Amino acid sequence: MRTEEILPEIYNLILAKGTREGERTQLMLAKDALEQAENPYEAMEKLKVAFRPLALRHNLTPDVMDFYLKMTGESVDTALYDFTKHKSEAAFQERTIFAGGCFWCMVEPFEAKKGIVSVLSGYTGGQIADPTYDQVSSGLTGHVEAVEIIFDTRVISYRELVDLYWQITDPTDALGQFQDRGSQYRPIIFVQTNQQQLAEQTKHEEAIKYKQPIVTEIRPATVFYPAENYHQAFYKKQPKRYKAMKRARQQLLTYQTWKRRLGL
């Protein structure tokens, strides 16, 4: 990466509201070094070293993580998500929102189905407007990580979507989902008015299958805030990491489903 390519990205990260102060400090040091015509390679190596401990623990903020992966050449896909494509304009299209743990693992199961127009990762159900990932992950805003789905009712029904939701979540776990712990990962179905009755019906059907109580909430849909670019289509951007997470989630789902159906 040339200095003229690096500086605009660093400036944007410094100004971004989601960047943490510690990250911003390191970015400003790198910016000053580059502007003073120091060796760009040396300046970027120092920045990599500063970010590496947090990156290895997946604890950089999303946009900074994108930049780190770009610096190290590890990023599979850093293309910006086109948010303008996530819109329903036709009478035969509907929206619905599902929360069921980390949204990284909630996109691909739905997006793989025919009739899905768009799946967007984001935050909903909380008390503040336009939250950042850091704010939601604190568990203090009331939001949950969720996916908003636009689907073609001529091809796939709401019933098919909600049936899939029950298959990929643990409806007896109110404290999170699988390896994802915290209030921001609790299972909730957010419904449009015309979806309420069917969602309630499927919840009753699921209750028969379990000896433990079903804790998945059903609520009216509220404002849905898109998550940062880093989180969109994560399974495409980082397929190896996603496959490992998906495998672990499926193993826990199988174990917990049988355990709770047996009342253990």
Side-chain angles (χ1 to χ4, degrees):
M1 297 175 68
R2 297 189 300 272
T3 301
E4 58 268 28
E5 296 173 331
I6 299 169
L7 275 174
E9 293 199 48
I10 290 179
Y11 270 112
N12 287 335
L13 289 172
I14 290 171
L15 296 173
K17 67 175 183 177
T19 302
R20 296 187 187 119
E21 285 307 310
E23 295 169 337
R24 188 173 284 110
T25 297
Q26 296 300 327
L27 289 164
M28 290 179 70
L29 289 172
K31 175 189 72 70
D32 291 344
L34 291 169
E35 288 178 336
Q36 292 167 13
E38 291 188 14
N39 185 329
Y41 176 81
E42 183 178 341
M44 296 312 291
E45 283 301 306
K46 287 180 180 178
L47 188 57
K48 285 185 209 175
V49 170
F51 283 159
R52 187 171 295 122
L54 291 173
L56 292 175
R57 297 197 299 272
H58 310 299
N59 200 27
L60 288 172
T61 50
D63 289 340
V64 175
M65 186 68 171
D66 272 349
F67 182 65
Y68 174 82
L69 292 173
K70 195 170 183 179
M71 283 193 296
T72 59
E74 297 174 30
S75 182
V76 176
D77 181 3
T78 57
L80 293 177
Y81 183 88
D82 186 358
F83 290 97
T84 64
K85 292 182 178 180
H86 188 78
K87 55 186 177 181
S88 57
E89 298 178 328
F92 50 78
Q93 292 179 351
E94 280 188 31
R95 293 174 183 256
T96 194
I97 300 172
F98 294 123
C102 176
F103 44 30
W104 288 352
C105 291
M106 289 289 288
V107 174
E108 185 260 348
F110 292 102
E111 202 160 68
K113 295 292 183 182
K114 291 182 179 179
I116 300 300
V117 177
S118 179
V119 182
L120 185 67
S121 296
Y123 318 111
T124 192
Q127 293 89 39
I128 66 172
D130 196 25
T132 65
Y133 178 76
D134 268 5
Q135 289 173 321
V136 174
S137 62
S138 73
L140 300 176
T141 68
H143 293 88
V144 288
E145 291 192 10
V147 290
E148 183 179 62
I149 302 167
I150 300 175
F151 60 102
D152 186 331
T153 58
R154 301 171 302 175
V155 182
I156 191 168
S157 67
Y158 176 69
R159 173 72 199 225
E160 290 174 278
L161 294 180
V162 77
D163 281 347
L164 176 57
Y165 172 81
W166 291 117
Q167 292 171 25
I168 62 175
T169 58
D170 179 358
T172 67
D173 188 352
L175 302 178
Q177 287 289 285
F178 313 112
Q179 65 267 48
D180 305 314
R181 313 314 299 162
S183 62
Q184 69 272 29
Y185 299 122
R186 63 195 187 278
I188 306 174
I189 299 174
F190 293 91
V191 295
Q192 307 297 329
T193 303
N194 63 320
Q195 298 166 351
Q196 176 86 34
Q197 184 176 353
L198 185 52
E200 296 285 359
Q201 178 186 328
T202 62
K203 181 176 179 178
H204 176 71
E205 293 169 2
E206 287 298 308
I208 299 172
K209 303 175 185 178
Y210 290 84
K211 294 186 180 296
Q212 300 290 336
I214 301 297
V215 299
T216 300
E217 298 178 57
I218 296 176
R219 295 189 195 173
T222 55
V223 180
F224 185 87
Y225 299 100
E228 297 84 344
N229 176 69
Y230 174 79
H231 299 295
Q232 304 302 334
F234 184 83
Y235 76 99
K236 294 179 180 177
K237 289 183 175 182
Q238 297 199 40
K240 290 183 179 179
R241 188 174 170 194
Y242 169 72
K243 286 177 182 177
M245 294 171 63
K246 180 180 179 181
R247 189 183 312 113
R249 183 179 171 111
Q250 288 175 331
Q251 289 171 344
L252 282 169
L253 175 59
T254 300
Y255 170 73
Q256 291 176 358
T257 298
W258 282 108
K259 180 179 177 181
R260 287 178 170 137
R261 285 183 180 179
L262 295 171
L264 301 175

